[in-house]
Amino acid sequence: MPGHVNSQISGNIKAQDGGFRRLIIIDGKGHLRGRLAAFVAKKLLQGQHIVVVRCEQINISGSLYRNKMKYMEFKRKRMNTNPKKGPFHYRNPARMFWRTVRGMLPHMLWRGRQALKRLHVYEGIPPRYHARARVVIPKCMTYIRLEPGRRFCSLGQVAAEVGWKYKQVVEDLEVKRKEKSALAYEKRKEKAALREKAIKAAKPETAEFDKILNSLGYRVDFA
C-alpha cells in the first residue's frame, strides 16, 4: 500500500539491538516519545546516522490537557538576568523531539555533540525522503507499550496548543504527498505486472537455457 512502512525492512534492520546501516529513516508516527528518543540516542552514540520524519505524529502518554499544562509550566522557566541566554522553549514538534534526544546525550562533550549532528528531524516527510524506505521500531510503538484505555496525545497537538502555527500546513502537505505516493504505487504495480507478463511470454524460448542454468546451480525461475 502507498505510504505503508515496509515491515520486512523494519524487521531486518537488526535495528533493535545491533547492526549498522548507512542511514536509518524512522517514521515517527505512532511511537512513544521517550522510548523512541532513548533508542535514537543509543544509536547515535554508536555512530549511526538517523532521520526521524513525521515528528508531529509522535505520541506522548497522558492527556492533551495534562501535557499542555506541563509545557506551559516549562515555558515559564528562564534566566532572570538575561532570558536570551536560555533555556529555549521550542514550539515545533521536530525540535521538541530533538531536545528530548539531546537530554539523553552527553551533549556538552565532544562525542555527544558529534552524535547530535548525526540526527535530523522533520515535520511531515520532506521530498528527498518520499521514495526512501522508512522503518518503525516495534518496541517503541504506542499500541504495544501503552495499556489499553490509557490516554495519550500527539506531539503536534501539544505544539499547536503552545504556539506552533504550521499544523494545518503540514497536514495539507501530507495529503498531497499521499496522493503522489498512491500514483507512484500504481505505476510500480503496472510495471511489475508487465515484467511478469514478459517473463511468462519468453518462457518457451528460454526453457532450454533455463534448464542448463538450473543444473549448474543458478536460479533463473523468476515467475
Side-chain angles (χ1 to χ4, degrees):
M1 291 181 65
H4 183 67
V5 175
N6 189 328
S7 59
Q8 185 178 2
I9 293 175
S10 64
N12 292 342
I13 196 176
K14 297 178 183 176
Q16 305 217 20
D17 298 303
F20 189 87
R21 297 170 72 94
R22 179 173 293 179
L23 177 69
I24 297 178
I25 303 173
I26 299 175
D27 189 344
K29 181 179 179 181
H31 291 78
L32 284 171
R33 179 178 65 174
R35 289 182 179 272
L36 181 61
F39 174 85
V40 169
K42 182 67 175 177
K43 286 295 175 186
L44 291 171
L45 287 172
Q46 290 173 353
Q48 182 70 65
H49 289 263
I50 293 181
V51 173
V52 183
V53 296
R54 296 211 281 186
C55 287
E56 76 282 359
Q57 296 188 46
I58 292 173
N59 294 329
I60 318 172
S61 58
S63 67
L64 175 60
Y65 179 78
R66 174 185 171 84
N67 282 298
K68 178 186 173 183
M69 291 298 103
K70 284 169 69 176
Y71 202 84
M72 295 301 285
E73 184 179 354
F74 166 64
K75 278 177 66 179
R76 292 182 60 199
K77 295 180 178 178
R78 67 192 189 111
M79 183 178 181
N80 280 340
T81 54
N82 191 352
K84 288 191 291 184
K85 291 187 177 180
F88 303 108
H89 312 101
Y90 301 113
R91 265 70 163 188
N92 56 321
R95 294 300 279 181
M96 285 181 177
F97 178 72
W98 178 88
R99 198 176 196 278
T100 304
V101 175
R102 188 188 70 175
M104 298 181 182
L105 294 171
H107 65 279
M108 302 295 275
L109 303 179
W110 184 86
R111 76 188 189 102
R113 288 196 297 272
Q114 295 305 308
L116 203 55
K117 287 178 183 179
R118 291 191 284 271
L119 173 65
H120 299 276
V121 290
Y122 300 97
E123 291 96 16
I125 302 179
R128 76 179 77 170
Y129 300 120
H130 280 185
R132 300 287 296 274
R134 302 184 295 279
V135 302
V136 297
I137 313 301
K139 65 180 181 182
C140 304
M141 297 297 286
T142 304
Y143 68 88
I144 291 177
R145 286 300 181 179
L146 210 60
E147 289 184 8
R150 294 294 186 183
R151 294 180 180 178
F152 64 91
C153 60
S154 71
L155 209 52
Q157 288 175 314
V158 176
E161 291 288 332
V162 297
W164 185 47
K165 300 177 182 178
Y166 299 98
K167 185 172 184 287
Q168 191 59 48
V169 174
V170 171
E171 287 175 358
D172 292 344
L173 289 172
E174 274 293 282
V175 170
K176 291 179 182 178
R177 181 192 65 80
K178 288 176 182 177
E179 289 173 357
K180 288 182 181 178
S181 179
L183 290 173
Y185 178 69
E186 290 301 323
K187 286 181 181 178
R188 285 200 303 272
K189 278 176 63 179
E190 290 173 9
K191 193 174 179 179
L194 288 171
R195 183 177 185 274
E196 189 176 347
K197 186 178 177 181
I199 289 171
K200 286 181 179 178
K203 271 287 181 186
E205 300 175 17
T206 61
E208 183 182 348
F209 303 107
D210 290 349
K211 191 180 292 184
I212 295 169
L213 289 170
N214 280 324
S215 68
L216 294 172
Y218 295 98
R219 186 175 176 274
V220 293
D221 188 15
F222 299 109

